Amino acid sequence: MIDRKAMENELHQARMARLEAEAANSDVEELLWELQHVRLGRQRMVFTIAGFEQEAAGAPR
């Protein structure tokens, strides 16, 4: 006997996994584009500032 509810749940999980994979792929493509278009001297300050922001966010207050 076919469990239609189980099939529906599996289909939903497969769709969600596909959407997550597409989002991850988009993030990777964006990162690759940024790395390919680095202008030395300009990004260093941005990376430094971003590093301080992350440290400050994780530091206890």
Side-chain angles (χ1 to χ4, degrees), residues 34 37-44:
E34 289 177 11
H37 296 88
V38 167
R39 288 189 237 158
L40 295 178
R42 297 187 78 197
Q43 269 73 14
R44 289 183 187 160

Side-chain angles (χ1 to χ4, degrees), residues 21-38 43 47:
E22 288 175 354
N25 184 46
S26 176
D27 291 344
V28 169
E29 287 179 352
E30 182 180 336
L31 178 61
L32 287 173
W33 187 91
E34 289 177 11
L35 289 173
Q36 290 171 345
H37 296 88
V38 167
Q43 269 73 14
F47 292 144

